[in-house]
Amino acid sequence: MILIGADFVPTKSNKKFFAEGNAEYLLGEELCKMLQKADYRIFNLEIPLTDKETPINKCGPNLIADTNNVKLYEKIEVDLFTLANNHIMDQGEAGYFSTINVLDNVGIDYLGCGNTLSDACKPKIVEVKGKKIGIYSCVEHEFSIASANSAGANPFDVIESYNHVKNLSNACDYTIVLYHGGKEHYRFPSPNLQKYCRNFIEKGANIVICQHSHCIGCEENYKNGKIIYGQGNFLFDDSDDECWKTGLLIQIKDDFEINYIPVVKCANRIRLADEYEKTQILNQFDARSEMIKSEKFVYDNFSIFASQNIYNYLLWLTGVDNNIVFRVINRIFRYKFSEFFIKKKYSKNQMLKIENMTCCESISELFVQGLKDINK
């Protein structure tokens, strides 16, 4: 039996218990027993383990955890960490090398990251109960990506990633894809995410699990496979947002039947959901899963979500979002001031140029490469 959990991150509120290896406090007795019974345990380590801060230039937080926090992972016998995520390089190559050295020292395997791109894209094949299980991990492009000459995470590529999975599935009895992507706090797939995940199934994956959204999403049975659009966190005490308070542990049984085991956040720790909580979580999960059977719903709902967020994204281009006075005014007007400001700031023609710059493959590639060169 294989257990797959999502983001497993020590934070200021509970790093003391990580360093003590206090699994009973952080996870509860029942969950600890369940993990002990598993044949293979997989989680997402979305933080570098290092005792020295060497933060990279990026937008968003630079996460870091002391190396002694590995004691909890060792205590519960994590077998494999995926490192293909948007935070593994937050402390640069020094933080990355510290992380893999720490994991090597305690015998925890990892994938989805490497000293070069060719290393990072390598999958794992493990044997569980006499079956060959292939595991592939990739991440959407942010600030953690490996290159031909530098360490980092394995990027999702619309050509190469599918070739990797096709080759892997031909060599295995069962293939798992761990895809670190999707929009944070959004419980449904975007139209493109749905296409990407379906294509993984068509190339031979049996299950595709989307992590990164920090919320439980929904599932889709597609052809001969299953897609989970959002697993939620495992243990990541970084927000009081309602969606952060629940997660799913995915159980793959010996006959490859899949079960969902809900967990609930309680302050700075988690526990198994009680029967009432479990029913509520899974009923909502099933309801959302019914909704995405309609392609129109997937498109329309994402369009609404995009329209709610676009003005905040456009604010990034102006730099005014860093102005404290603007932020106070925007909050007073319940963030509607963003829309008013952007419509005054950009003409229709300017907005069309931004659309073209981000949509056209050739222009977008040139634009992104230019930004990378400037930000070096």
Side-chain angles (χ1 to χ4, degrees), residues 127-187:
E127 189 167 308
V128 180
K129 292 287 186 71
K131 300 288 187 180
K132 283 187 176 180
I133 310 298
I135 308 165
Y136 181 77
S137 180
C138 61
V139 59
E140 293 179 347
H141 291 70
E142 291 199 46
F143 295 90
S144 64
I145 299 305
S147 74
N149 304 307
S150 62
N154 179 36
F156 168 67
D157 184 280
V158 293
I159 297 174
E160 297 298 334
S161 294
Y162 296 122
N163 290 335
H164 297 155
V165 169
K166 183 178 181 179
N167 293 336
L168 179 63
S169 65
N170 288 335
C172 298
D173 298 302
Y174 191 85
T175 303
I176 300 167
V177 172
L178 300 170
Y179 180 93
H180 200 87
K183 186 65 187 76
E184 292 174 319
H185 302 177
Y186 185 60
R187 295 184 184 272

Side-chain angles (χ1 to χ4, degrees), residues 11 86 183 207 233 263 299 312 325:
T11 53
N86 56 305
K183 186 65 187 76
I207 182 170
N233 297 319
V263 295
Y299 179 85
N312 289 329
V325 175

Side-chain angles (χ1 to χ4, degrees), residues 18 44 90 117 181 206 211 221-222 234 283 306 334 340:
F18 272 81
N44 172 46
D90 277 5
L117 180 57
N206 299 97
Q211 300 173 334
N221 294 312
Y222 181 72
F234 183 67
N283 282 348
R334 298 185 178 182
F340 171 79

Side-chain angles (χ1 to χ4, degrees), residues 8 24 63 120 124 135 159 190 194 237-238 276 299 345 353 358 367:
F8 199 173
E24 290 74 18
L63 301 186
K124 287 286 177 183
I135 308 165
I159 297 174
S190 70
Q194 189 174 51
D237 183 30
D238 192 48
Y276 174 77
Y299 179 85
K345 176 72 175 176
K353 286 180 180 178
T358 53
F367 179 65

Side-chain angles (χ1 to χ4, degrees), residues 38-85:
D39 299 298
Y40 202 77
R41 292 151 287 257
I42 305 171
F43 292 95
N44 172 46
L45 181 62
E46 193 162 8
I47 193 167
L49 302 176
T50 177
D51 297 321
K52 183 179 179 181
E53 290 193 34
T54 54
I56 63 169
N57 292 322
K58 59 171 289 192
C59 63
N62 291 82
L63 301 186
I64 185 171
D66 296 339
T67 56
N68 62 8
N69 286 181
V70 79
K71 290 180 181 177
L72 180 72
Y73 304 136
E74 186 179 15
K75 176 71 176 294
I76 65 170
E77 301 181 81
V78 174
D79 293 286
L80 180 72
F81 270 127
T82 170
L83 305 183
N85 56 61

Side-chain angles (χ1 to χ4, degrees), residues 220-240:
E220 178 179 23
N221 294 312
Y222 181 72
K223 295 191 174 179
N224 295 320
K226 185 180 289 290
I227 306 166
I228 295 94
Y229 298 108
Q231 190 180 359
N233 297 319
F234 183 67
L235 175 55
F236 193 171
D237 183 30
D238 192 48
S239 173
D240 289 325

Side-chain angles (χ1 to χ4, degrees), residues 195-251:
K195 290 177 186 176
Y196 298 153
C197 292
R198 286 178 171 181
N199 206 15
F200 276 125
I201 300 295
E202 290 175 358
K203 294 300 183 291
N206 299 97
I207 182 170
V208 179
I209 303 171
C210 298
Q211 300 173 334
H212 177 66
S213 65
H214 303 300
C215 61
I216 298 175
C218 46
E219 71 169 357
E220 178 179 23
N221 294 312
Y222 181 72
K223 295 191 174 179
N224 295 320
K226 185 180 289 290
I227 306 166
I228 295 94
Y229 298 108
Q231 190 180 359
N233 297 319
F234 183 67
L235 175 55
F236 193 171
D237 183 30
D238 192 48
S239 173
D240 289 325
D241 192 301
E242 191 64 32
C243 70
W244 281 61
K245 295 181 179 179
T246 58
L248 294 178
L249 194 58
I250 296 173
Q251 181 188 64

